[in-house]
């Protein structure tokens, strides 16, 4: 720094012998005349130059210090903002953690309750089976007695009236026991159906608990890029020449809607109808428009798919599952009434495997022109058909009570795979079996057409 050097120079000049300021007196011998000495111009110049350098040095030091203080102040302000933001994020993470913990605890309680119910139903089924065996034993004894009496009657034509009365009594008891057995068999069948239903719910709850333990199902996790999908798609394309979905076809230059062969990662190739839009390619998973295909199908049909790609069809739960396994996907649903008015809704979703009965998980806020009639609960809803009762309605098979296979919760909010009516039936009990979306036109209004299609969440995110 410059100003200490200037200060040394000034001090040295002031302390130099023989130097003084004007009017300064120098002590001499007594009796002699005092002489006044003045500093030379060179000395004055040196002192002035030193003072000037000292002033410049001080000014530069002050300016530099101000800049450093300003820089430190800016860094402190940024640090304070970062600390505040981190504090807010920490609080939010704590709240999310508590909510997830409470949710996992609730699911564990449900799992425990479902396991208890299942065990109770098993015990009741075993008891009914034991009762059935006892009844069968009694029937065998009665049949033996009846056969003995019949033989005795054949050997002795003069059977007494008392023997005839015993014979009729045994026949009556045998008929009563037969009816009892039929009732027990029916009860066993009903209990077995309930047991199967509870077992399906237990599997779903177990899957949900595991999912909650692994990570919190938030919307941002759905919008992330499909992990390693580009590399896997490139490898698959090089080996088979097939795209992983309709949007992959769009990225390769396809712009015409129609039927294409695709092959999702880790899946067998299959045919799919692709709808090409300005934003990208959508894979159509369901279409209803004229009632040409019966959608009241069994579990295996809904798993593998059915219908005509040129008309009405269901792509298949296993194929939909294979597509959504590649990353976050968006489900888009279009509805049309008999006045040709259309509405739509879309939301991010995922589909569980067959071990969860292909449970549907809505993983974000729905957008569109109608309210969501599917569950917005992250715990999901399993798929149900008339031969595989997985719905959440106690003592009622929604697929059998209504029609078709669907993600039924309590039977009454939506069913786009119901019975198709070309004319709106007059009878209310018929209309409730139709294709409906409760939050638009109501439960008893059968819709004219529906379309369900899916695309990667990144397409929706980019558009």
């Amino acid at each position: 720094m410059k100003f200490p050097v200037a200060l040394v120079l000034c001090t040295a000049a002031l302390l130099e012998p023989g130097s003084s300021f004007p009017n300064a007196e120098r002590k001499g011998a007594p009796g002699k005349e005092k002489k006044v000495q003045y500093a030379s111009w060179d000395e004055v110049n040196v002192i002035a130059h030193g003072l000037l350098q000292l002033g410049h040095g001080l000014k530069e030091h002050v300016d530099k210090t101000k800049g450093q203080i300003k820089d430190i102040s800016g860094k402190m302000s940024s640090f304070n903002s970062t600390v505040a933001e981190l504090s807010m994020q920490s609080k939010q993470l704590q709240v999310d953690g508590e909510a997830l913990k409470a949710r996992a605890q609730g699911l564990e309680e449900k799992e425990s309750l479902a396991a208890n119910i299942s065990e109770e139903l098993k015990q009741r089924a075993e008891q009914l089976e034991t009762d059935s065996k006892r009844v069968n034993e009694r029937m065998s004894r009665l049949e033996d007695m009846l056969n003995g009496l019949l033989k005795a009657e054949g050997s002795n034509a003069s059977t007494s009236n008392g023997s005839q009365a015993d014979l009729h009594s045994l026949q009556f008891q045998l008929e009563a026991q037969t009816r009892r057995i039929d009732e027990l068999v029916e009860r066993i069948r009903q209990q077995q159906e309930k047991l199967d239903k509870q077992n399906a719910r237990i599997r779903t709850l177990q899957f949900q608990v595991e999912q909650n333990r692994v990570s919190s199902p938030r919307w941002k996790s759905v919008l992330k890029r499909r992990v390693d999908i580009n590399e896997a798609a490139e490898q698959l394309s090089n080996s088979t020449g097939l795209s992983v979905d309709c949007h992959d076809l769009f990225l390769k230059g396809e712009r015409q809607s129609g039927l294409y062969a695709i092959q999702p990662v880790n899946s067998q190739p299959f045919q799919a109808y692709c709808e090409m839009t300005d934003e990208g390619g959508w894979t159509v998973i369901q279409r209803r428009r004229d009632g040409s295909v019966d959608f009241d199908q069994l579990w295996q049909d809904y798993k593998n798919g059915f219908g005509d790609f040129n008309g009405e069809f269901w792509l298949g739960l296993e194929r939909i599952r294979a597509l959504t396994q590649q990353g976050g996907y968006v489900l888009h649903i279009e509805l049309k009434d008999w006045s040709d008015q259309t509405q739509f809704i879309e939301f991010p979703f995922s589909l569980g495997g067959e071990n969860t009965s292909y449970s549907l998980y809505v993983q974000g806020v729905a957008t569109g022109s109608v309210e969501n009639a599917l569950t917005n609960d992250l715990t999901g809803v399993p798929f149900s058909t008339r031969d595989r009762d997985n719905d959440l309605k106690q003592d009622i098979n929604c697929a059998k009570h209504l029609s078709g296979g669907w993600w039924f919760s309590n039977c009454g909010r939506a069913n786009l795979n119901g019975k198709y009516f070309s004319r709106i039936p007059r009878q209310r009990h018929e209309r409730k079996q139709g294709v409906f979306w409760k939050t638009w036109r109501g439960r008893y209004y059968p819709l004219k057409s529906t379309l369900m299609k899916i695309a990667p969440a990144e397409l929706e995110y980019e558009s």
Side-chain angles (χ1 to χ4, degrees):
M1 299 176 68
K2 294 182 178 180
F3 71 89
V5 177
L7 181 61
V8 171
L9 292 174
C10 291
T11 304
L14 291 172
L15 296 177
E16 183 180 355
S19 299
S20 63
F21 289 101
N23 299 324
E25 295 184 356
R26 186 180 179 87
K27 293 183 180 180
K32 292 184 179 181
E33 183 180 2
K34 297 178 180 179
K35 293 182 180 181
V36 179
Q37 295 182 355
Y38 298 94
S40 66
W41 281 109
D42 291 338
E43 295 172 338
V44 172
N45 286 334
V46 169
I47 295 171
H49 184 67
L51 292 173
L52 184 61
Q53 285 185 333
L54 177 63
H56 281 300
L58 288 172
K59 184 175 183 302
E60 290 178 359
H61 181 67
V62 169
D63 292 340
K64 185 176 181 180
T65 303
K66 284 182 178 179
Q68 291 176 344
I69 292 174
K70 185 176 180 181
D71 184 49
I72 293 173
S73 177
K75 291 181 178 179
M76 286 296 294
S77 176
S78 175
F79 176 75
N80 290 335
S81 299
T82 303
V83 169
E85 183 178 355
L86 288 174
S87 177
M88 292 178 63
Q89 291 179 357
S90 177
K91 291 180 180 179
Q92 184 61 39
L93 287 174
Q94 185 177 2
V95 171
D96 292 344
E98 292 295 332
L100 181 59
K101 182 178 179 181
R103 189 175 197 82
Q105 184 177 359
L107 287 174
E108 288 176 356
E109 291 176 356
K110 289 181 180 179
E111 179 184 5
S112 177
L113 177 60
N116 292 336
I117 294 174
S118 177
E119 185 63 28
E120 181 181 352
L121 287 174
K122 284 182 180 179
Q123 293 176 359
R124 293 183 64 183
E126 291 174 356
Q127 182 62 38
L128 287 173
E129 185 176 0
T130 302
D131 294 342
S132 178
K133 289 181 180 178
R134 291 176 180 175
V135 171
N136 285 330
E137 291 175 357
R138 293 184 63 184
M139 280 192 63
S140 297
R141 290 197 298 269
L142 287 172
E143 286 178 353
D144 292 339
M145 293 176 63
L146 182 59
N147 290 331
L149 288 173
L150 290 174
K151 288 180 180 178
E153 183 181 9
S155 62
N156 187 5
S158 59
T159 305
S160 64
N161 292 332
S163 298
Q164 289 289 343
D166 291 339
L167 180 60
H168 289 303
S169 176
L170 285 173
Q171 288 177 340
F172 177 78
Q173 292 180 22
L174 183 60
E175 292 174 357
Q177 292 296 339
T178 302
R179 290 194 298 270
R180 175 63 177 167
I181 288 175
D182 293 339
E183 293 175 359
L184 287 174
V185 170
E186 179 63 22
R187 288 178 61 187
I188 290 173
R189 187 189 63 78
Q190 293 176 358
Q191 294 295 337
Q192 188 62 44
E193 287 183 357
K194 292 180 180 180
L195 183 61
D196 293 340
K197 196 170 184 178
Q198 292 297 334
N199 287 334
R201 291 175 183 172
I202 289 171
R203 291 194 301 270
T204 302
L205 288 171
Q206 289 173 340
F207 178 79
Q208 293 163 3
V209 171
E210 186 63 27
Q211 286 292 99
N212 279 274
R213 287 174 180 169
V214 174
S215 62
S216 176
R218 299 179 63 84
W219 167 232
K220 63 181 180 181
S221 67
V222 179
L223 289 180
K224 68 181 180 181
R225 302 293 180 180
R226 292 180 287 178
V227 179
D228 297 331
I229 184 63
N230 293 330
E231 180 179 355
E234 183 177 356
Q235 294 175 356
L236 185 63
S237 178
N238 292 335
S239 61
T240 66
L242 298 179
S243 298
V244 296
D245 61 12
C246 292
H247 185 57
D248 191 22
L249 284 166
F250 178 87
L251 296 178
K252 293 178 180 178
E254 293 290 348
R255 294 295 183 271
Q256 185 69 34
S257 297
L259 195 61
Y260 294 90
I262 61 174
Q263 185 176 8
V265 177
N266 299 325
S267 172
Q268 295 297 319
F270 56 84
Q271 295 286 324
Y273 189 90
C274 297
E275 183 178 292
M276 302 299 181
T277 65
D278 294 337
E279 294 80 15
W282 293 79
T283 305
V284 180
I285 65 172
Q286 184 254 33
R287 184 166 58 202
R288 308 290 305 277
R289 62 186 183 187
D290 55 15
S292 57
V293 173
D294 182 10
F295 271 65
D296 191 18
Q297 302 290 333
L298 301 179
W299 177 266
Q300 200 65 25
D301 298 310
Y302 271 101
K303 175 183 175 180
N304 299 327
F306 57 86
D308 181 5
F309 283 114
N310 294 320
E312 297 188 332
F313 67 89
W314 174 260
L315 182 61
L317 292 167
E318 191 60 35
R319 293 171 180 173
I320 301 171
R321 163 70 172 172
L323 288 166
T324 58
Q325 278 291 93
Q326 301 179 123
Y329 270 71
V330 171
L331 173 61
H332 180 99
I333 300 175
E334 296 178 8
L335 311 170
K336 180 184 288 188
D337 65 9
W338 290 92
S339 300
D340 288 333
Q341 297 183 15
T342 59
Q343 302 287 342
F344 81 95
I345 186 172
E346 61 185 32
F347 46 80
F349 82 108
S350 65
L351 199 66
E354 189 171 12
N355 62 322
T356 70
S357 300
Y358 298 105
S359 291
L360 178 71
Y361 300 90
V362 178
Q363 295 185 312
V365 178
T367 59
S369 54
V370 294
E371 183 183 346
N372 190 8
L374 289 169
T375 177
N376 57 0
D377 187 353
L378 298 179
T379 57
V381 172
F383 198 85
S384 186
T385 59
R386 56 188 170 91
D387 66 326
R388 190 74 66 88
D389 186 10
N390 299 320
D391 60 67
L392 305 182
K393 189 75 170 177
Q394 291 290 343
D395 302 326
I396 292 180
N397 185 332
C398 295
K400 187 181 294 184
H401 180 65
L402 300 178
S403 181
W406 189 251
W407 294 280
F408 294 107
S409 55
N410 59 358
C411 296
R413 291 187 59 82
N415 180 16
L416 300 188
N417 290 336
K419 188 175 181 180
Y420 188 89
F421 293 105
S422 58
R423 294 181 180 179
I424 300 178
R426 294 183 179 182
Q427 300 297 326
R428 184 175 181 179
H429 71 275
E430 291 185 77
R431 295 200 302 269
K432 72 179 182 180
Q433 295 183 337
V435 180
F436 71 92
W437 191 268
K438 186 176 180 180
T439 59
W440 187 57
R441 300 303 187 198
R443 179 179 178 182
Y444 298 100
Y445 184 96
L447 297 172
K448 182 179 181 180
S449 66
T450 65
L451 180 73
M452 300 173 64
K453 57 185 181 180
I454 63 174
E458 60 182 10
L459 181 152
E460 183 68 16
Y461 181 68
E462 291 171 356
S463 61

